[in-house]
Amino acid sequence: QVQLVESGGGLVQAGNSLRLSCAASGRTFSTYTMGWFQQAPGKEREFVAGITWTGPISKTYYADSARGRFTISSDNPKNMVYLQMNSLKPEDTAVYYCAASPRRGYYTGPADFDSWGQGTQVTVSS
């Protein structure tokens, strides 16, 4: 099992930026894909961005709503994954979760990830 702790959420005005961080510990060597998900009140958890590794090579992928505004990155020696969110919109308001998967590939479904953080609230005001 991998333990994940998110940080960096907060209240920002539309158009501004936030960087979320996810610290991983535990069986990190068994993790091949990391993802960020968002969950707004009354809605299902939705995929935002992911990063998947094949050896030292990583590839990133995004939901359409995030592509061009959000960037996922990692610092492997520190077991950290980040989500840089720019040009934030009120509709980005949600709890953001970091997730880890032992599968290698472009997974976007919550069921494909077996470790989750507690979430961090992002609120974007208009």
Side-chain angles (χ1 to χ4, degrees):
Q1 195 77 1
V2 178
Q3 291 77 47
L4 303 171
V5 179
E6 304 96 334
S7 61
L11 171 63
V12 296
Q13 288 189 327
N16 284 352
S17 301
L18 273 178
R19 189 177 82 153
L20 305 183
S21 299
C22 174
S25 61
R27 296 176 60 88
T28 57
F29 59 87
S30 65
T31 296
Y32 294 106
T33 301
M34 296 284 292
W36 285 97
F37 289 76
Q38 63 179 193
Q39 189 166 20
K43 294 187 177 182
E44 294 185 351
R45 196 166 295 188
E46 296 180 341
F47 170 78
V48 175
I51 183 167
T52 187
W53 289 274
T54 301
I57 305 300
S58 66
K59 295 186 178 180
T60 60
Y61 55 108
Y62 299 90
D64 288 343
S65 60
R67 190 174 295 111
R69 297 189 300 128
F70 296 1
T71 302
I72 187 171
S73 62
S74 68
D75 184 339
N76 291 354
K78 296 183 179 179
N79 289 326
M80 296 291 295
V81 175
Y82 306 98
L83 184 68
Q84 177 67 41
M85 304 187 296
N86 298 330
S87 302
L88 282 162
K89 304 175 182 180
E91 51 263 44
D92 296 320
T93 295
V95 177
Y96 283 74
Y97 296 90
C98 176
S101 174
R103 303 172 184 83
R104 187 182 288 116
Y106 300 111
Y107 293 99
T108 62
D112 295 315
F113 294 79
D114 59 1
S115 298
W116 293 85
Q118 82 289 350
T120 186
Q121 176 70 47
V122 172
T123 303
V124 184
S125 63
S126 58

